[in-house]
Amino acid sequence: MTADDASVLQRPAEPPDFLHAYGTEEEHIADVWKPQQQTDRPLILFLHGGYWRPKIDRQHARHTCAELSRRGWPVASLEYPRVPGDPDQSHRAVQQGVQALPESLGFQDALLVGHSAGGQLSLWLAATSPPASLRGVLALAPVADLKQAHTMELGEGAVADFLGEDPTARPDLDPAQHPAPEVPTTVLHGVHDSRVPVSISEDYVQSHPSVRLLRLDPGDHFTVIDPEQSQWRHIPAELERLQGQSLS
């Protein structure tokens, strides 16, 4: 297993067109990009990763969000509270934002995209409380199984830090413990991911066979959010496919 190329985290990123609040708390905010031309595409709601750590916010996702906007997609990248030991605060905020943002930004339809920890939040929300606007989910290297991630000690104990307890006590927050989302769902994962091993996604899809799995080879944990990587092209391609499924 190779080391992941985290250079995308250090490069300056293009700022959003504007910020939009979806709630009353400081972190109930979203970066918003709107394409230059009018579009009938659904709004992309992006949930960033970072193992739910307070120090890692949405800014590292700006590269991929800005590039999707340049390709004609409207994008809202949500910030959400990341308080160790209080996972419900994160989940409530994501529920609120995904519910409120499409309508408040003038969209009827949305696609939900989440990377890493944001992938966990995306799969969980789509399985437990999907809003009427949700048309599909794209989970990028998701922490799709909290129990397995905890056993593997991923992120130096990130799961226990986030939950404040053993994940067996919170099956309600674990995507692996819920049915597959009813909307079309794809998991996309680099085969050389050393931060969230692809085996987690493979096991999730095996137990949720309606979910599509795409393995990127080559590909690591950050390939999926770095537009400078050639394999990143699979992200807009899969969004096109999900949009097509929602229209059929």
Side-chain angles (χ1 to χ4, degrees):
M1 190 175 292
T2 59
D4 293 303
D5 180 3
S7 59
V8 67
L9 303 182
Q10 281 76 49
R11 298 199 308 267
E14 182 177 329
D17 294 328
F18 59 91
L19 303 181
H20 187 88
Y22 64 82
T24 58
E25 301 298 325
E26 181 180 358
E27 291 182 306
H28 291 181
I29 196 79
D31 291 342
V32 180
W33 291 261
K34 284 200 170 183
Q36 293 183 351
Q37 297 182 343
Q38 189 68 25
T39 181
D40 59 356
R41 284 174 164 173
L43 175 68
I44 293 175
L45 297 165
F46 195 97
L47 301 178
H48 70 83
Y51 272 128
W52 314 279
R53 302 287 190 191
K55 65 180 181 181
I56 305 176
D57 64 14
R58 69 191 185 281
Q59 293 197 38
H60 74 274
R62 286 179 171 177
H63 297 281
T64 206
C65 293
E67 181 60 27
L68 287 172
S69 178
R70 279 190 286 271
R71 293 174 181 241
W73 293 93
V75 183
S77 178
L78 283 71
E79 193 56 89
Y80 52 90
R82 302 165 313 288
V83 181
D86 189 2
D88 294 306
Q89 191 173 164
S90 303
H91 289 76
R92 283 195 302 267
V94 167
Q95 279 182 314
Q96 183 177 349
V98 171
Q99 177 71 41
L101 282 167
E103 182 178 0
S104 64
L105 292 172
F107 293 89
Q108 292 185 330
D109 302 322
L111 296 175
L112 183 58
V113 182
H115 175 235
S116 194
Q120 175 266 327
L121 292 166
S122 297
L123 292 172
W124 166 82
L125 184 145
T128 61
S129 53
S133 61
L134 188 62
R135 297 291 174 262
V137 178
L138 178 57
L140 308 173
V143 188
D145 188 324
L146 294 181
K147 183 178 178 181
Q148 188 177 166
H150 176 65
T151 299
M152 298 172 75
E153 299 183 346
L154 299 185
E156 299 179 339
V159 173
D161 289 345
F162 174 55
L163 298 178
E165 55 190 332
D166 189 281
T168 57
R170 295 302 308 264
D172 57 312
L173 302 183
D174 194 340
Q177 302 302 316
H178 291 284
E182 294 187 2
V183 297
T185 300
T186 297
V187 172
L188 196 153
H189 212 130
V191 299
H192 301 299
D193 191 329
S194 62
R195 300 194 181 216
V196 181
V198 68
S199 60
I200 288 185
S201 287
E202 291 170 339
D203 290 347
Y204 175 82
V205 171
Q206 184 174 9
S207 61
H208 299 76
S210 65
V211 176
R212 168 180 164 93
L213 175 61
L214 291 179
R215 300 173 181 84
L216 294 189
D217 187 7
D220 63 29
H221 193 63
F222 298 104
T223 299
V224 294
I225 60 166
D226 189 350
E228 292 189 3
Q229 301 291 327
S230 62
Q231 291 284 63
W232 185 88
R233 70 185 186 277
H234 291 284
I235 282 74
E238 193 59 25
L239 290 171
E240 295 275 7
R241 198 190 69 82
L242 286 168
Q243 181 187 16
Q245 278 193 286
S246 72
L247 296 174
S248 61

